[in-house]
Amino acid sequence: MDSKSKEDYVKFMNQVLSSGDAEEAPVLAQQKGVKWYIPNHGIYHPKKNNIRVVFDCSVRFKETSLNDHMLSGPNTGQT
């Protein structure tokens, strides 16, 4: 990862945390000795200069994923 990508990624993640869209797991959850982080990576649109971080919530750990525990929205009929 080059220095600009790293700088943009860290800035984006700090904004996610400061806006309240994500938070550090409470100590209680960390006491079990197992930590799980949602895999993610930054990408740039070929015609834009800002980074977008993609979170892969479908990744499975111990036969489950975050997506398995989320409520699905209504079927809008769009594909």
Side-chain angles (χ1 to χ4, degrees):
M1 176 181 285
D2 64 61
S3 61
K4 176 163 176 18
S5 296
K6 180 180 177 182
E7 181 182 321
D8 290 347
Y9 177 86
V10 169
K11 181 179 175 183
F12 178 89
M13 294 305 291
N14 284 333
Q15 288 174 340
V16 169
L17 292 167
S18 66
S19 70
D21 291 333
E23 62 186 36
E24 188 174 341
V27 174
L28 179 63
Q30 296 176 6
Q31 289 178 345
K32 295 180 181 178
V34 175
K35 295 180 183 178
W36 173 248
Y37 299 94
I38 299 170
N40 61 80
H41 62 280
I43 62 170
Y44 289 94
H45 187 280
K47 296 182 180 179
K48 298 180 182 177
N49 196 26
N50 59 326
I51 196 167
R52 185 180 78 166
V53 177
V54 178
F55 297 87
D56 188 354
C57 297
S58 67
V59 172
R60 303 187 84 66
F61 176 72
K62 293 189 177 183
E63 300 182 25
T64 191
S65 72
L66 181 59
N67 282 351
D68 293 338
H69 300 276
M70 303 297 292
L71 297 174
S72 61
N75 184 351
T76 61
Q78 298 176 348
T79 56

